[in-house]
Structure formats: C-alpha cells, structure tokens
Amino acid sequence: TWISSLEYTSVASSVVLVSTTPLWVAIIAPFTLKERAGRWVIWGLALALSGGLVVGLSDACSWGASGLACPPLAGFVQGKAFLGDLLAIAGAMAGASYLLIGRRLRSLRNPPLSLVGYIFVVYGVAALVLIGIMLAAGHSPFGYAAPTYVWFILLALVPQLIGHSTFNWALGYLSAAFVSITLLGEPIGSTILAYILLQEAPSGLKIFGAVLILAGIYIASRGQK
C-alpha cells in the first residue's frame, strides 16, 4: 500500500503519513500486548514524529526571508491525492501490525520464537505471496537489464535481510513502541547516503528535522531498560 501510494500522492505526503507507524503502535500496544508507553517514550514519540513531519515536508516547503513557505493544501483531500494518502496511512498501520506481531512472537510468546525461525517464516511467506500476486497480475520477473538485478539482490541483502532482521531481533528485548520510534531514523540515513552517493546536500529544514528525530530517540531510550 505504501509503494502504491507514491503513484497518487506526493512523496512528502506519503513519507509523512507512513511515518506515523509509531503513533499506531503506541495506540494499539496497550490493548494487544499490555505494553503501555512510559512518559519518556511518549515525549520521545512526540518529538520524533515532529522531526519526521519536518523531514517529510522539507522537499515541498522552503525557508526564506519571509519565513516558512509551503504549497497550498487545498488539494490534499481531493481526487487521486486523497487515495494516495489513504494508502500511505494503510501502510503505516500495516507496519505497526508487523511490529506488534513481531514483539508478541519474539518476546511474549512462551517459549519466544527465535530470530532465524521467525524471519524464515515471515520473509518466506512474503516472497511467495508477492510472487503469486505478480503472476496473477500478468507480470514477469525477467527482461530487465543486468544492473537492475544487482540492485534487486542488494535490496534483499541489505535493507531486508540486515535491516529488517536487526529490528526484528530488537523486538525480542525492547518494546514495540521504542523500536518503532527508532525506525524514524531511516530518513536520516537516507539523507546521509544521498549526500555521499548522489551529492544531494540536505536543506536546513531537513537537518533540523533530523535533530528532532535523534533527540526523540534519545529521550525515548531513557524509558527503556
């Protein structure tokens, strides 16, 4: 749903809305996991979400002599943009569900599910379902240029196998709310990589948002053992 949202709405709107995953985790976790976010986690969540909002809007807004200038929001809930926004929110809720389920199986289940056992089932089922959807849609995995397949392999090895597995490991020891907040650090990593690989210098707004996110993660960490 999140990838699909990019076909209908702006990148800024999509990133901001999908980054609300920690908010959904904080709302749902008390009812599903009996894990209530502590005071420090709530403050950290608010600060990190604010930073995520700033980072997401930094591509659409600019800071000039007259202050902050952003495009009008008249079309925000109209036509295709509204559909894209709903898809991004659905992506955030799906991400929250992913973290909550992982937390339950990795730490609250008796006995807890091992990391390798968990990711083998989850990643394997995800791959099979996506292959089935691809075939049902009449698409083919063949015919792309060789460099494209290299990027596919790198995507599978680094962000998926290393990235997702790292926070799935963390779910065995830390609350779902805290792990979801740390995931907001992703835009910071992408900004640094964009500067190194693509020579895209971050704007002042993006740097400010990154500082807020890091401060939020630090504050939330004070409430974790």
Side-chain angles (χ1 to χ4, degrees), residues 69-134:
C70 296
L73 299 178
F76 185 73
V77 293
Q78 296 179 2
K80 289 185 175 181
F82 185 51
L83 172 61
D85 296 334
L86 291 178
L87 288 171
I89 293 175
M93 298 183 72
S97 301
Y98 179 37
L99 291 171
L100 293 168
I101 293 170
R103 173 64 174 165
R104 175 175 291 278
L105 294 179
R106 288 278 295 120
S107 68
L108 303 180
R109 182 175 176 266
N110 190 19
L113 196 61
S114 69
L115 175 65
V116 174
Y118 176 67
I119 66 175
F120 178 81
V121 174
V122 173
Y123 300 175
V125 170
L128 292 175
V129 170
L130 287 171
I131 289 172
I133 293 174
M134 176 190 68

Side-chain angles (χ1 to χ4, degrees), residues 10-149:
S10 68
V11 172
S13 293
S14 177
V15 169
V16 168
L17 293 172
V18 82
S19 294
T20 59
T21 292
L23 181 61
W24 298 109
V25 170
I27 292 173
I28 300 173
F31 303 99
T32 58
L33 303 179
K34 309 303 180 184
E35 286 185 349
R36 295 189 178 276
R39 179 183 58 178
W40 290 109
V41 173
I42 292 175
W43 280 109
L45 169 64
L47 200 57
L49 282 175
S50 298
L53 177 65
V54 172
V55 171
L57 294 177
S58 62
D59 290 330
C61 302
S62 60
W63 188 271
S66 58
L68 186 65
C70 296
L73 299 178
F76 185 73
V77 293
Q78 296 179 2
K80 289 185 175 181
F82 185 51
L83 172 61
D85 296 334
L86 291 178
L87 288 171
I89 293 175
M93 298 183 72
S97 301
Y98 179 37
L99 291 171
L100 293 168
I101 293 170
R103 173 64 174 165
R104 175 175 291 278
L105 294 179
R106 288 278 295 120
S107 68
L108 303 180
R109 182 175 176 266
N110 190 19
L113 196 61
S114 69
L115 175 65
V116 174
Y118 176 67
I119 66 175
F120 178 81
V121 174
V122 173
Y123 300 175
V125 170
L128 292 175
V129 170
L130 287 171
I131 289 172
I133 293 174
M134 176 190 68
L135 295 176
H139 296 298
S140 171
F142 307 109
Y144 297 102
T148 302
Y149 289 101

Side-chain angles (χ1 to χ4, degrees), residues 174-206:
L174 300 166
S175 69
F178 178 63
V179 173
S180 67
I181 292 173
T182 60
L183 292 180
L184 291 176
E186 286 184 6
I188 301 174
S190 63
T191 299
I192 294 173
L193 288 174
Y195 178 73
I196 296 173
L197 300 177
L198 305 176
Q199 288 75 53
E200 292 183 359
S203 64
L205 274 178
K206 189 163 290 187

